[in-house]
């Protein structure tokens, strides 16, 4: 059996910290030797921030009483020696709960009242209003007090049917899913809409985010959960009861909220929990194993996933085994197999994405710094030719050479106006490329969809409105691609002229690939289309639900377009920053050439000294280039290594 998920995540965290430190040190090295312009430095900083702050989200989804919270305790919090998340019999987690770590906040529990559903704000907007959340400090040194505070996520309130209806927990036209009223006719609903737990747990500190969800009725009432939070999770663990298999409500939850798009089942793990209920003293181990395998095969067939992605465990026995350090019981619980699946699948996938980002970033850095080295090498060669030509020349010839260099410098300074003109056109084309991705334009795109969802009664035209909205968004991306292509063509033409006239080595990088954002739109559209079926017609008929749905859609689409805009801006700035960098290098070259002439005019011996300095500069340049190759080679080689600890030494300056 492989190492546990906790240990694999520890290694993943160490790997990320190692890379972040190496990238930071590489950035310091380039700054020390004045090798990188602001665009390259910004690229390194973004890459370092991406690696250091990368989040891995695992969503745990199940109907009530499937042992979901117990599984979270067993996987992540056994080190406390007791249950931390509420996991008593019956309903426990009543509201969606996120466990993560934000270093700027103290250990705390934040709770959003369920009454906020009555207001037309998306959950993302409520996150920006901390004063609307109930805030409770957590004592991490007292596990019992910690567990007692976290029990609040299980709190309920009793409201009238009218209140339950307004909040989305009572449906007159769909009575089979309604909760049972008590003797007074009141309805039990969650007290809180959403919970955020900030813990300085080792795994959470390293970027793990755990999303604990309530049962089907509560999940369906919160569209932002099912169209935003769960779809964006890197892995979804769907939990069933081993003795019952896939029940009707389990199947409804899977089909309506979790069924992955075709070809993406790898992000779904199905857990048959509570296998200890099958440990019958009257059955042989072989018979018990046969029952488990039948349930696995049947569940895989019902849910349409490969059988190897259906794992049988006992969360309760696994937790007990970890707390009591009982290796035999832990093996019998089969929890390590689930940890291995999470580690190998989820973390391997995230690490591959980061590896690709690091490799691309380092490759881009090498290319840009290679241009800087070529410019400096060419300038040194020109200076060497000039100085060698001064051997045996008198003062008037040296003076004439100084005048010629000054003339070249003056002619080059005239290029400033042309550079500024190119940058002016560049800014205009950049604005044209970015405008379709603006928040204001997104609001216009969603106007028709919003109007369709606000129609009273059944939304007969909403599917067409959805199709029109996403077709317009795809057109927006296409127009951005076209505009960025025009920007690239303009820069390529201008760079070609500058290269010919001034000996630059400007080269326009390829614009960002917008196809991945088209894929994001397709996934979002697929996730929302599930709400346009007849089974959701009653929910869509509720104005409040429809309003929350379109707000959740707008929030997620805004993230996609803002990310696309940021990538486009980064590319655009990096492309034009080459001009500033090479103009700056050329001006430094003129200064160095004039200083050399002045020194030679002052003393004949300075000529030999200056030639020796240039030769030393050439050797230093070769040394720096060799150092850069070595540093970046080490960085790329470290991609395939998981260090036991981050490096502490610093790169030599």
């Amino acid at each position: 059996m492989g190492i546990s998920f906790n240990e694999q995540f520890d290694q993943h965290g160490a790997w990320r910290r190692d890379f972040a430190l190496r990238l930071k040190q590489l950035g310091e090295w380039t700054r020390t030797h004045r090798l990188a312009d602001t665009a390259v430095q910004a690229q390194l900083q973004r890459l370092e921030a991406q690696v250091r702050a990368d989040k891995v989200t695992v969503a745990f989804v199940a109907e009530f009483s499937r042992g979901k919270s117990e599984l979270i305790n067993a996987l992540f919090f056994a080190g406390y020696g007791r249950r931390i998340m509420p996991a008593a019999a019956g309903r426990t987690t009543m509201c969606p709960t996120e466990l993560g770590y934000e270093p700027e906040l103290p250990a705390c529990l934040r709770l959003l009242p369920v009454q906020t559903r009555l207001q037309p704000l998306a959950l993302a907007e409520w996150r920006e209003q901390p004063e609307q959340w109930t805030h409770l400090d957590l004592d991490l040194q007292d596990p019992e007090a910690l567990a007692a505070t976290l029990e609040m996520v299980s709190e309920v309130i009793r409201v009238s049917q009218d209140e339950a209806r307004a909040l989305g927990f009572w449906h007159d036209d769909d009575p089979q899913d309604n909760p049972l009223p008590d003797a007074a006719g009141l309805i039990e609903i969650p007290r809180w809409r959403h919970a955020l737990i900030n813990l300085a747990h080792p795994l959470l500190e390293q970027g793990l985010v755990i999303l604990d969800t309530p049962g089907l009725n509560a999940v369906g009432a919160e569209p932002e959960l099912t169209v935003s939070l769960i779809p964006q999770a890197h892995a979804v663990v769907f939990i069933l009861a081993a003795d019952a298999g896939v029940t009707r409500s389990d199947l409804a939850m899977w089909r309506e909220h979790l069924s992955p798009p075709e070809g993406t089942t790898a992000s779904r793990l199905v857990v048959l929990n509570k296998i200890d209920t099958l440990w019958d003293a009257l059955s042989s181990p072989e018979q018990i194993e046969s029952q488990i395998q039948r349930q696995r095969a049947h569940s895989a067939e019902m849910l349409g996933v490969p059988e190897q992605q259906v794992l049988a465990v006992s969360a309760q026995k696994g937790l007990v085994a970890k707390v009591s350090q009982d290796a035999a019981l832990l093996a019998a619980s089969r929890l390590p197999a689930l940890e291995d699946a999470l580690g190998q699948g989820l973390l391997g996938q995230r690490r591959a994405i980061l590896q690709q980002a690091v490799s691309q970033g380092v490759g881009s850095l090498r290319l840009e710094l290679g241009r800087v080295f070529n410019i400096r090498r060419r300038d040194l060669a020109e200076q060497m030719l000039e100085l060698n030509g001064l051997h045996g020349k008198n003062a008037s010839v040296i003076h004439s050479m100084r005048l010629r260099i000054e003339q070249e410098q003056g002619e080059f300074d005239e290029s400033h106006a042309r550079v500024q003109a190119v940058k002016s056109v560049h800014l205009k084309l950049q604005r044209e490329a970015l405008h379709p991705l603006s928040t204001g334009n997104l609001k216009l795109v969603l106007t028709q969809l919003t109007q369709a969802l606000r129609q009273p009664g059944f939304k007969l035209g909403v599917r067409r409105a959805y199709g029109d909205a996403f077709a317009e968004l795809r057109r927006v991306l296409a127009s951005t691609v076209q505009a960025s292509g025009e920007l690239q063509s303009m820069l390529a033409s201008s760079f070609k002229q500058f290269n010919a006239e001034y000996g630059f080595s400007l080269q326009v990088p390829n614009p960002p690939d917008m196809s991945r954002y088209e894929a994001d739109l397709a996934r979002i559209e697929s996730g929302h289309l599930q709400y346009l079926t007849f089974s959701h017609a009653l929910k869509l008929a509720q104005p409040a639900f429809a309003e929350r749905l379109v707000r959740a859609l707008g929030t997620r689409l805004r993230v996609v377009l803002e990310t696309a805009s940021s990538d486009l801006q980064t590319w655009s700035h990096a492309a034009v920053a080459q001009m500033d960098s090479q103009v700056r290098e050329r001006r430094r070259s003129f200064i160095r050439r004039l200083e050399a002439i002045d020194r030679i005019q002052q003393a004949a011996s300075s000529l030999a000294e200056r030639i020796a300095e240039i030769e030393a500069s050439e050797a230093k340049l070769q040394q720096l280039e060799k150092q850069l190759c070595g540093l970046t080679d080490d960085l790329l080689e470290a991609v395939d290594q998981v260090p036991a600890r981050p490096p502490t030494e610093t790169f030599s300056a």
Side-chain angles (χ1 to χ4, degrees):
M1 187 63 65
I3 60 177
S4 72
F5 177 76
N6 292 24
E7 293 170 319
Q8 292 185 61
F9 207 92
D10 282 339
Q11 290 184 344
H12 181 70
W15 179 83
R16 290 192 300 109
R17 291 193 301 274
D18 175 64
F19 261 114
L21 180 58
R22 288 174 183 270
L23 288 168
K24 182 179 179 180
Q25 293 172 341
L26 182 59
E28 292 172 352
W29 183 87
T30 57
R31 282 193 297 272
T32 298
H33 298 288
R34 302 172 72 180
L35 290 171
D37 57 29
T38 54
V40 171
Q41 291 297 332
Q43 181 185 17
L44 273 169
Q45 290 169 3
R46 283 192 298 271
L47 191 57
E48 179 191 344
Q50 178 185 359
V51 173
R52 195 180 290 277
D54 180 60
K55 299 290 186 181
V56 176
T57 302
V58 183
F60 289 79
V61 185
E63 261 291 29
F64 291 116
S65 301
R66 299 295 190 267
K68 171 173 48 62
S69 297
E70 187 80 327
L71 183 59
I72 292 175
N73 283 322
L75 285 171
F76 306 113
F77 300 117
Y80 281 99
R82 57 153 297 147
R83 294 182 176 92
I84 296 301
M85 295 299 294
R91 297 184 177 186
T92 52
T93 305
M94 294 297 295
C95 67
T97 302
E98 290 182 61
L99 294 91
Y101 178 66
E102 299 176 42
E104 65 275 8
L105 293 176
C108 62
L109 168 64
R110 287 169 288 168
L111 298 159
L112 184 65
V114 74
Q115 288 78 11
T116 56
R117 287 181 185 236
L118 300 175
Q119 301 181 43
L121 291 178
L123 186 59
E125 296 171 284
W126 285 113
R127 290 176 188 265
E128 299 172 0
Q129 301 184 34
E131 70 280 0
Q132 301 297 327
W133 297 66
T134 296
H135 184 112
L136 297 166
D137 291 332
L138 297 175
D139 185 356
L140 302 185
Q141 304 304 316
D142 187 342
E144 291 189 10
L146 173 62
T149 304
L150 296 184
E151 284 280 355
M152 292 188 69
V153 302
S154 303
E155 290 184 340
V156 297
I157 56 175
R158 295 186 179 274
V159 299
S160 67
Q161 286 190 14
D162 289 339
E163 289 178 281
R165 185 182 298 109
L167 292 168
F169 293 100
W170 184 273
H171 311 293
D172 294 328
D173 299 317
D174 198 14
Q176 69 272 14
D177 289 332
N178 289 334
L180 294 175
D182 63 12
L186 298 179
I187 309 300
E188 182 181 276
I189 67 169
R191 182 178 181 182
W192 310 107
R193 178 181 180 181
H194 203 81
L196 299 173
I197 300 174
N198 193 62
L199 283 178
H201 184 279
L203 296 181
L204 304 182
E205 287 179 331
Q206 294 172 25
L208 178 66
V209 177
I210 301 169
L211 177 61
D212 189 6
T213 62
L216 177 61
N217 194 34
V219 167
E222 186 61 79
E224 188 160 358
L225 181 66
T226 52
V227 301
S228 182
L229 294 179
I230 292 177
Q232 292 183 86
H234 301 101
V236 175
V237 180
F238 184 52
I239 302 156
L240 309 170
D243 54 350
V246 182
T247 66
R248 179 180 176 183
S249 60
D250 292 327
L251 189 59
M253 176 178 278
W254 176 266
R255 288 176 174 173
E256 295 177 16
H257 305 296
L258 301 176
S259 183
E262 185 176 354
T264 61
T265 58
S267 63
R268 300 293 191 266
L269 281 176
V270 179
V271 173
L272 284 170
N273 192 22
K274 303 183 180 182
I275 59 171
D276 54 292
T277 61
L278 304 178
W279 295 351
D280 185 356
L282 300 180
S283 300
S284 67
E286 292 76 15
Q287 290 173 322
I288 294 173
E289 181 64 23
S290 178
Q291 291 183 64
I292 292 174
Q293 295 308 321
R294 282 198 303 271
Q295 288 286 53
R296 287 185 62 215
H298 180 68
S299 300
E301 182 181 3
M302 292 283 289
L303 302 178
V305 298
E307 188 173 335
Q308 62 266 27
Q309 288 177 222
V310 180
L311 303 176
V313 305
S314 171
Q316 191 269 336
K317 299 304 181 187
L319 176 60
V320 171
K322 285 186 173 183
V323 171
S324 62
Q325 299 184 356
D326 186 335
L329 183 60
L330 182 62
S333 74
R334 308 193 187 192
L335 194 64
L338 175 58
E339 293 180 324
D340 190 57
L342 282 170
Q344 295 295 334
L346 171 61
L347 296 184
Q349 184 182 65
R350 292 304 301 160
R351 185 173 169 187
I353 293 173
L354 288 176
Q355 287 171 341
Q356 183 180 16
V358 169
S359 298
Q360 290 176 347
V362 174
S364 176
L365 176 70
R366 268 184 165 176
L367 182 64
E368 182 58 33
L369 293 181
R371 296 193 186 102
V372 175
F373 282 127
N374 288 335
I375 293 170
R376 292 188 180 183
R377 186 177 290 108
R378 184 199 58 215
D379 290 342
L380 290 174
E382 290 177 355
Q383 291 182 56
M384 184 65 78
L385 285 173
E386 289 175 347
L387 296 179
N388 284 328
L390 293 178
H391 278 294
K393 305 297 181 181
N394 57 32
S396 62
V397 173
I398 295 175
H399 179 68
S400 297
M401 180 171 289
R402 192 185 201 289
L403 293 178
R404 181 174 61 80
I405 295 173
E406 289 178 340
Q407 181 181 358
E408 290 180 12
Q409 186 181 35
E411 293 173 352
F412 181 77
D413 287 341
E414 293 177 359
S415 69
H416 179 72
R418 292 182 58 191
V419 170
Q420 291 303 115
V422 170
K423 292 171 75 172
S424 177
V425 175
H426 162 264
L427 287 175
K428 177 178 179 294
L429 293 177
Q430 178 182 277
R431 285 195 296 268
E432 292 177 357
L434 294 175
H435 174 70
L437 303 174
S438 67
T439 301
N441 200 41
L442 174 60
K443 290 180 179 178
L444 293 176
V445 171
L446 292 178
T447 296
Q448 184 178 357
L449 176 58
T450 302
Q451 292 173 347
L453 284 170
R454 285 176 176 170
Q455 292 176 0
F458 290 99
K459 314 297 193 295
L460 299 179
V462 70
R463 180 175 286 272
R464 179 176 180 179
Y466 258 96
D468 292 344
F470 278 92
E472 177 63 18
L473 289 171
R474 282 187 282 270
R475 190 198 66 76
V476 161
L477 285 181
S479 67
T480 297
V481 170
Q482 180 180 355
S484 62
E486 294 173 0
L487 176 57
Q488 183 185 29
S489 297
M490 184 279 294
L491 289 175
S493 175
S494 300
F495 285 6
K496 184 177 181 180
Q497 293 180 5
F498 286 137
N499 291 344
E501 295 179 22
Y502 303 111
F504 287 164
S505 57
L506 300 169
Q507 182 176 349
V508 185
N510 292 326
D513 183 10
M514 290 289 164
S515 63
R516 66 188 184 99
Y517 300 111
E518 294 175 358
D520 287 341
L521 289 180
R523 282 191 291 270
I524 295 172
E525 183 178 19
S526 174
H528 272 256
L529 286 178
Q530 64 179 322
Y531 282 100
L532 308 186
T533 60
F534 180 76
S535 61
H536 287 89
L538 297 175
K539 288 182 181 178
L540 283 174
Q542 304 168 29
F545 182 88
E547 184 76 19
R548 289 198 297 271
L549 185 64
V550 76
R551 281 186 172 272
L553 173 64
T555 298
R556 194 169 178 198
L557 290 175
R558 186 167 61 249
V559 171
V560 173
L561 297 188
E562 286 177 352
T563 305
S565 177
S566 176
D567 283 356
L568 192 60
Q569 282 183 319
T570 299
W571 163 77
S572 177
H573 292 161
V576 79
Q578 292 182 51
M579 289 192 299
D580 294 330
S581 175
Q582 298 196 24
V583 166
R584 187 166 53 249
E585 285 291 330
R586 182 58 56 85
R587 285 175 175 162
R588 289 174 181 166
S589 174
F590 281 123
I591 293 173
R592 288 191 292 266
R593 291 166 65 187
L594 289 172
E595 288 176 347
I597 294 295
D598 289 341
R599 291 167 59 185
I600 292 167
Q601 284 180 318
Q602 294 169 8
S605 62
S606 295
L607 177 59
E609 292 176 1
R610 182 56 186 158
I611 290 176
E613 288 176 1
I614 291 178
E615 290 174 344
S617 296
E618 289 178 337
K620 178 65 174 177
L621 195 62
Q622 292 178 354
Q623 181 184 4
L624 288 177
E625 195 167 18
K626 185 177 180 180
Q627 272 189 325
L628 175 66
C629 290
L631 294 176
T632 51
D633 283 344
D634 288 345
L635 190 61
L636 292 174
E637 288 175 5
V639 168
D640 297 323
Q641 299 174 4
V642 181
R645 59 183 64 86
T648 56
E649 71 276 4
T650 57
F651 291 141
S652 171

